Amino acid sequence: MSREQVLKEALTELHDLVGLHEVKRSIEALMIEMKGREKARAVHDRKDDRTSYHMMLSGDAGTGKTVVARIISKIMYGAGISRTDQFLEVDRADLVGQFVGETAQKTKRLIEKARGGVLFIDEAYALVGSGQDFGQEAINILIKAMEDERDDLIIIFAGYRAEMRELLRMNEGFRSRIPYHFVFPNYTPSELAQIIVRILRSRDFDCFDILRPLKDAVTRAVRQGSVEGNGRWARNQAEKIIKAHYTRLGKGEEDAEPFALTRKEIDATFHDELTGRNEDVDGLRAIAEEAYEELHGLIGLDALKKRVTSLMRWMAIEHERMKAGLHHQPLVMHMAFTGPPGTGKTTVARIIGKYLYGLGMLSSSTFIEADRSDLVGRYIGETEEKTMKLIERADGGILFIDEAYALAGDGNDFGRQAIDTLIKEMEERKHRMIVILAGYTDEMDSLFEMNPGLRSRVPYTVEFPPYRATELVEMMKLQLEKESFTWDEAAERTMIDKVTRAYNQGNVEGNGRWVRNQVDRLRVAQSNRLFIERKKNDYLEDEWKEQLQRLTAADFQHAFQ
């Protein structure tokens, strides 16, 4: 197949995808940019004009990231950017080894295999690892290849949005070498229903009689938080509808025709969504109790935990008064979380959502995390569309907007329109969903001063203080224990001394994130030491395993330099 045919086929595939309007527009903009570069090169071939097309695709599972990555690979080959049509899909297990030297060997081999085409790394955030491993080594090799091989290799990283954002924060090398970032939103109920219908029609089923009831059922499923995997969930529901249809045929029901679907199949498939929440009372109570324990299991934050606990108890009792038909305060639960990053705002927001869902105060366990880029568009009408889509997805649950003060913008964009849309919907949906606005204290105060309408709709503010040095030590110890590390008293004394000194000198940034960064540096320091020791000592297998887990005072010294 010629390159022109490959490009035409790829563009058709992209156009036929359900939803993903912003992703499609971004890819179209990229193609226009590539065309402009090629025109410029045709006039003057500049050898120093080396272009990188590395990309990041972020979004929830089942939102089409892998499908779009394959289409992008075809576009790059069809447009003459890639030398070959190679598309190599890998994940952490393909890159990271279990012993010294294996990771470099595996990663370099895959880079060589993908050269000329596209290397697609799914769940790329997992490269940072959760235990003693060589993920950082793979990251370092990839960063080098992204620079050295950028003329003959495109690397596409994919994963959950929050985790990928954290990966970028932790690795400046990634952020500086990835010029294109496509965000994949969850499908709307209408789009999910459209995907289901497409699958059914591809199997020759007549869907005319199920269009309306299917959309209603999917909408309710989304609002009740029972939709997992998005596109994958839609495929599973299509299979369930087909099974329900064959069951009716097998029973010989009079109105069952071989390829005509009816509302009965929808009723059978979406029974739980159509009849409401089906969790038993004990099960819901267990969810609330689990959230309560999670809150009080957090390290430090004693004053904050008392404030949040008091707030959750008040909401629970007011909800009981309402159910009993007694006088009660209006349950408007929008909140502002203020404080520096890394102090647990997102974690506590998730806990509150879980707690209120368990009490039956929220109909959905949905938790949508967003920031300015998810709400504010670039042209007239786009901001309202993006903001409303997020609100629809979070309806019944929680919409958490990080760095919310950025919505104010510089006065020359559509941030104000996003705020206006939020204010309107926060009022109309105040009894069935929660919007939590998070960010630095001073900036959030300024946002509310500029927007009294927003302030009036957010009755609760929770201040998240920075962690104390002793709490940072406890967090570090807990993180290291989770990652199966061990250390002796001398190492612990060094840990306490280094953390305390960094804290007193004002070198602690990000709090919780700072701890995670220090743990990463500890892994690097230990790896460097072990690499040298392995050459000098002939360890037995059990001895080597013990060495892989052990941290020394010297490791802490090097990590905190």
Side-chain angles (χ1 to χ4, degrees):
M1 187 183 297
S2 68
R3 287 181 183 260
E4 291 77 11
Q5 290 174 310
V6 171
L7 180 60
K8 184 178 180 180
E9 180 182 282
L11 293 176
T12 300
E13 289 179 25
L14 181 67
H15 179 268
D16 289 345
L17 291 177
V18 172
L20 301 177
H21 305 297
E22 181 60 26
V23 172
K24 292 176 182 177
R25 280 193 287 264
S26 297
I27 293 174
E28 290 168 1
L30 172 60
M31 291 182 63
I32 293 172
E33 177 192 331
M34 292 190 303
K35 189 174 181 180
R37 287 181 184 276
E38 291 307 308
K39 284 184 176 180
R41 282 201 181 102
V43 175
H44 181 60
D45 187 13
R46 294 178 56 187
K47 301 296 183 182
D48 59 339
D49 186 19
R50 302 174 65 207
T51 305
S52 167
Y53 288 108
H54 306 306
M55 305 176 191
M56 177 170 288
L57 315 183
S58 63
D60 289 344
T63 48
K65 296 186 295 295
T66 304
V67 173
V68 170
R70 290 182 180 278
I71 292 174
I72 289 174
S73 178
K74 290 181 180 180
I75 289 174
M76 290 302 187
Y77 175 71
I81 303 298
S82 296
R83 180 167 50 85
T84 74
D85 61 355
Q86 171 75 275
F87 180 85
L88 185 59
E89 182 178 350
V90 301
D91 59 17
R92 171 190 161 85
D94 299 307
L95 295 158
V96 180
Q98 296 176 312
F99 52 81
V100 175
E102 185 184 14
T103 295
Q105 184 181 21
K106 293 175 74 172
T107 304
K108 289 178 180 177
R109 184 169 60 243
L110 288 172
I111 289 172
E112 180 62 33
K113 187 176 180 180
R115 186 175 280 117
V118 171
L119 176 62
F120 176 75
I121 304 176
D122 199 12
E123 298 182 353
Y125 53 83
L127 289 175
V128 298
S130 58
Q132 175 54 41
D133 58 38
F134 301 97
Q136 185 60 46
E137 184 180 1
I139 290 174
N140 294 339
I141 294 170
L142 285 168
I143 290 174
K144 186 175 186 300
M146 291 166 72
E147 182 65 27
D148 296 347
E149 309 292 339
R150 60 180 176 174
D151 288 336
D152 199 34
L153 177 66
I154 297 172
I155 301 181
I156 301 179
F157 301 90
Y160 291 109
R161 186 161 189 266
E163 285 81 351
M164 294 300 284
R165 211 160 54 193
E166 186 67 18
L167 177 64
L168 289 180
R169 287 191 179 116
M170 294 169 61
N171 296 274
E172 175 61 32
F174 270 155
R175 183 164 57 244
S176 63
R177 289 171 174 81
I178 302 177
Y180 304 101
H181 185 183
F182 303 144
V183 178
F184 286 66
N186 285 346
Y187 292 106
T188 65
S190 177
E191 290 167 348
L192 286 169
Q194 190 178 344
I195 293 172
I196 293 173
V197 168
R198 282 193 178 189
I199 294 170
L200 295 173
R201 284 177 173 165
S202 72
R203 304 275 287 272
D204 296 325
F205 286 100
D206 180 356
C207 301
F208 182 79
D209 291 334
I210 68 167
L211 296 179
R212 184 76 250 176
L214 174 62
K215 184 177 180 180
D216 291 343
V218 172
T219 298
R220 189 158 184 176
V222 170
R223 289 183 175 176
Q224 293 187 349
S226 57
V227 174
E228 297 179 359
N230 291 299
R232 295 169 194 165
W233 178 86
R235 289 192 292 274
N236 290 337
Q237 299 310 109
E239 291 299 327
K240 288 180 181 179
I241 292 171
I242 292 171
K243 288 180 181 179
H245 179 69
Y246 287 151
T247 298
R248 291 187 63 229
L249 280 176
K251 289 179 179 179
E253 295 184 14
E254 291 184 3
D255 60 340
E257 300 179 12
F259 289 99
L261 300 175
T262 70
R263 183 171 192 132
K264 289 185 178 180
E265 281 86 345
I266 304 302
D267 290 347
T269 302
F270 292 88
H271 178 266
D272 292 341
E273 286 77 19
L274 291 171
T275 56
R277 298 169 68 185
N278 64 343
E279 298 96 336
D280 59 84
V281 175
D282 290 338
L284 287 172
R285 188 179 296 116
I287 291 174
E289 290 173 355
E290 184 178 288
Y292 187 84
E293 291 173 2
E294 287 177 11
L295 175 65
H296 289 273
L298 297 175
I299 291 174
L301 304 176
D302 296 330
L304 179 140
K305 286 188 284 192
K306 287 181 181 178
R307 163 72 169 149
V308 173
T309 299
S310 175
L311 189 59
M312 292 195 305
R313 287 173 177 171
W314 179 83
M315 289 179 177
I317 295 303
E318 288 302 315
H319 184 61
E320 292 298 319
R321 288 194 178 100
M322 181 187 70
K323 290 195 298 183
L326 300 174
H327 180 271
H328 64 280
Q329 293 292 325
L331 285 172
V332 180
M333 299 175 285
H334 304 310
M335 307 177 193
F337 284 4
T338 60
T343 47
K345 294 189 287 292
T346 307
T347 300
V348 172
R350 288 184 183 276
I351 289 173
I352 290 176
K354 187 175 180 179
Y355 181 79
L356 297 179
Y357 172 70
L359 291 180
M361 297 174 67
L362 291 175
S363 63
S364 169
S365 59
T366 299
F367 183 91
I368 302 298
E369 182 179 356
D371 61 15
R372 174 188 161 87
S373 65
D374 297 304
L375 292 99
V376 180
R378 294 173 296 179
Y379 53 83
I380 295 174
E382 186 186 19
T383 294
E384 185 176 4
E385 178 186 350
K386 293 178 73 173
T387 304
M388 284 303 301
K389 279 188 177 181
L390 275 176
I391 290 170
E392 285 292 340
R393 286 170 53 202
D395 200 0
I398 286 184
L399 174 59
F400 179 85
I401 303 176
D402 199 13
E403 299 179 354
Y405 52 83
L407 290 175
D410 57 7
N412 296 316
D413 59 22
F414 298 104
R416 177 72 207 187
Q417 188 178 355
I419 293 174
D420 292 342
T421 304
L422 266 177
I423 290 173
K424 177 177 178 292
E425 296 302 322
M426 287 168 71
E427 180 65 26
E428 292 186 1
R429 303 169 193 247
K430 61 186 177 183
H431 299 308
R432 69 175 192 257
M433 74 175 288
I434 300 175
V435 174
I436 299 179
L437 307 172
Y440 289 103
T441 303
D442 291 343
E443 284 82 348
M444 292 299 292
D445 288 343
S446 297
L447 174 66
F448 287 130
E449 287 176 8
M450 292 168 56
N451 299 274
L454 191 59
R455 170 77 276 178
S456 67
R457 286 164 177 79
V458 182
Y460 310 109
T461 297
V462 180
E463 177 69 28
F464 284 69
Y467 291 103
R468 298 188 295 268
T470 54
E471 295 167 346
L472 292 172
V473 170
E474 289 304 309
M475 291 173 68
M476 183 170 290
K477 289 164 68 174
L478 180 63
Q479 182 68 27
L480 292 172
E481 287 171 357
K482 285 181 179 179
E483 299 184 5
S484 302
F485 283 111
T486 62
W487 57 91
D488 58 20
E489 291 183 7
E492 182 159 336
R493 285 195 299 271
T494 305
M495 180 200 312
I496 295 171
D497 176 67
K498 292 297 182 182
V499 172
T500 303
R501 186 170 300 181
Y503 181 86
N504 291 336
Q505 293 176 347
N507 296 329
V508 175
E509 296 181 0
N511 294 297
R513 292 173 192 154
W514 179 84
V515 170
R516 290 193 293 273
N517 289 339
Q518 295 308 117
V519 169
D520 286 338
R521 293 189 178 100
L522 270 169
R523 287 203 297 264
V524 173
Q526 189 223 37
S527 296
N528 288 330
R529 174 177 59 81
L530 288 178
F531 186 84
I532 296 171
E533 289 185 5
R534 184 73 182 268
K535 290 183 176 181
K536 297 178 180 179
N537 300 285
D538 188 17
Y539 291 109
L540 296 175
E541 184 177 346
D542 288 344
E543 291 175 332
W544 180 239
K545 183 177 180 180
E546 183 179 340
Q547 290 297 319
L548 289 172
Q549 294 175 292
R550 188 172 67 89
L551 292 171
T552 68
D555 294 333
F556 284 96
Q557 289 281 0
H558 286 120
F560 281 84
Q561 280 182 351

